[in-house]
Amino acid sequence: MAMDNQYVMHTYGRLPIVLVRGEGCFVYDADGKKYLDLVAGIAVNGLGHCPPKVVEAICKQAGTLMHTSNLYHTVPQPQLAKMLVEISGMSKAFFCNSGAEANEAAMKLARKATKINGKPEQTEIITAEKSFHGRTLAAITATGQPKYQKSFAPLPPDYRYVPYNDVEALKSMVSEKTCAIMMEPVQGESGVHPANIEFLQTARKLCDKFGAALIFDEVQTGLGRTGKMFGFQNFDVIPDIMTLAKTLGGGFPIGACLAKDKYADVFEPGDHAATFGGNPLACAAAIATVTEIIDGGWVENTQKVGEYFREQLATLPGVTEVRGLGLMIAAEFNDPVARDIASKALDKGLLINAIGDNILRFVPPLILTRENVDQAISILMECI
Ligand code: PLP
């Protein structure tokens, strides 16, 4: 911890434990203490820690071919693209290394699409207030939270923010100038707020009317988290462009931007790139992860265990609201107790995430069991 303090930039407010090992839904610190992990790398470790099939795929690929330039074809990249296209209904994929990068790709794609369409003045990107899209300069600009933007002006122009789920505000904001509407199907970082169907359906209709792209940021909601393979499947609204990261690599960094129909062929050689994007190692990890999510029935598990978890959370004293879909859950308290509960839970061997003063967020592995939920609830009860 002292070395971290001296040599690593202080971009994170870290908790005072050093994690050294993980297995399934549990992690262990340097003193050998065991924690039930309901943070899961913030919705990354969908299959838990060190899932054997993903470890095996990574080891095998690491000894075969880790990286080559995207100037050459490799085997795992198109295999992963085919797999994602087939399960999502999108048409083509671009690979990168993180959620923010995937969103950058999506926004560049939308901007170029309007130019190809002969509408270069169609540049505005509409996102939601309280959204979160990542930390690059364009991604913090898309993120409708001034606290993430304030130290980094000037920001890229032509972004506008609509109150999430406000259908009338969305209708009055979209115009001939709109290039894209970008939304999370469930807002994660700001406290787990699911979209309402009418809001997303209106976004779809407005994009169709004005020739704008509908982008869903599924970096957190994608790949089973909401109890469906993709968040958009809860709302019956199909985007033109969709971004993935987090769960995709089972803990290995990889992001993807998927695009449908005419949007799939907008980028040409030279338009966009990432040196590491879609390298064989990352793609092998992602292929193994997605295969196991499907074969293991973990999306269905997420739905069932998520429902049970939400029911149990609602019984805790002081909880005023439980929100979320699948295993993307928030519990809101009537008093500012969230940080205290999270810190007491840490002492008792439970990792949870406080958002602000009143909200606890739970984004555990999709392999969570009812027994894990019971253990978490009993620790939470003690903490409360
Ligand atoms: N989009 C959403 C919805 C997220 O939740 C996050 C991260 O929390 C990001 C984008 C950024 O992803 P990354 O940190 O991999 O850049």
Side-chain angles (χ1 to χ4, degrees), residues 42-44 97-103 131-136 139 143 184-189 217-221 243 245-246 254 328 361:
I42 312 191
V44 167
N97 311 288
S98 68
E101 264 185 85
N103 288 333
S131 57
F132 188 81
H133 299 293
R135 300 293 196 137
T136 63
T143 293
E184 296 156 87
V186 181
Q187 288 190 330
E189 192 268 351
D217 176 343
E218 295 246 14
V219 166
Q220 191 163 152
T221 52
T243 56
K246 291 201 182 267
I254 179 168
M328 185 171 177
R361 173 169 58 161

Side-chain angles (χ1 to χ4, degrees), residues 56-292:
E56 190 189 325
I58 290 173
C59 291
K60 189 162 169 230
Q61 189 62 47
T64 307
L65 184 68
M66 275 196 234
H67 180 82
T68 61
S69 167
N70 273 308
L71 292 173
Y72 312 104
H73 291 275
T74 55
V75 176
Q77 193 178 127
Q79 286 178 337
L80 176 61
K82 178 170 185 283
M83 189 178 249
L84 293 176
V85 159
E86 284 174 358
I87 60 174
S88 67
M90 298 284 119
S91 309
K92 282 186 181 164
F94 168 82
F95 293 108
C96 51
N97 311 288
S98 68
E101 264 185 85
N103 288 333
E104 288 276 346
M107 292 185 281
K108 281 179 72 175
L109 184 52
R111 284 267 172 85
K112 188 173 175 202
T114 58
K115 309 240 175 347
I116 291 177
N117 208 19
K119 302 270 175 58
E121 71 289 350
Q122 207 174 339
T123 51
E124 272 179 12
I125 297 179
I126 296 177
T127 66
E129 290 176 4
K130 301 195 178 131
S131 57
F132 188 81
H133 299 293
R135 300 293 196 137
T136 63
L137 209 47
I140 56 163
T141 310
T143 293
Q145 301 192 56
K147 69 176 177 189
Y148 292 127
Q149 302 169 338
K150 66 179 190 314
S151 307
F152 305 105
L155 300 174
D158 285 359
Y159 283 81
R160 298 184 70 185
Y161 312 97
V162 67
Y164 197 57
N165 283 338
D166 187 334
V167 173
E168 291 313 312
L170 184 64
K171 280 185 188 160
S172 63
M173 196 175 282
V174 179
S175 71
E176 282 82 17
K177 286 210 70 191
T178 307
C179 162
I181 300 177
M182 181 157 88
M183 297 286 160
E184 296 156 87
V186 181
Q187 288 190 330
E189 192 268 351
S190 60
V192 186
H193 299 278
N196 70 42
I197 291 187
E198 197 194 348
F199 185 65
L200 295 186
Q201 284 177 345
T202 305
R204 178 67 278 170
K205 280 191 201 131
L206 289 167
C207 283
D208 291 341
K209 179 171 169 199
F210 290 100
L214 182 61
I215 304 172
F216 281 170
D217 176 343
E218 295 246 14
V219 166
Q220 191 163 152
T221 52
L223 297 161
R225 173 66 46 201
T226 65
K228 303 263 187 202
M229 185 55 86
F230 298 101
F232 75 80
Q233 291 164 336
N234 293 287
F235 303 94
D236 264 339
V237 177
I238 296 173
D240 301 302
I241 303 171
M242 179 172 91
T243 56
L244 298 172
K246 291 201 182 267
T247 307
L248 180 56
F252 199 92
I254 179 168
C257 170
L258 308 182
K260 192 166 159 48
D261 301 337
K262 67 176 185 185
Y263 290 97
D265 292 311
V266 165
F267 280 151
E268 293 168 299
D271 278 337
H272 198 52
T275 296
F276 293 115
N279 88 5
L281 195 53
C283 289
I287 290 168
T289 303
V290 177
T291 305
E292 176 58 18

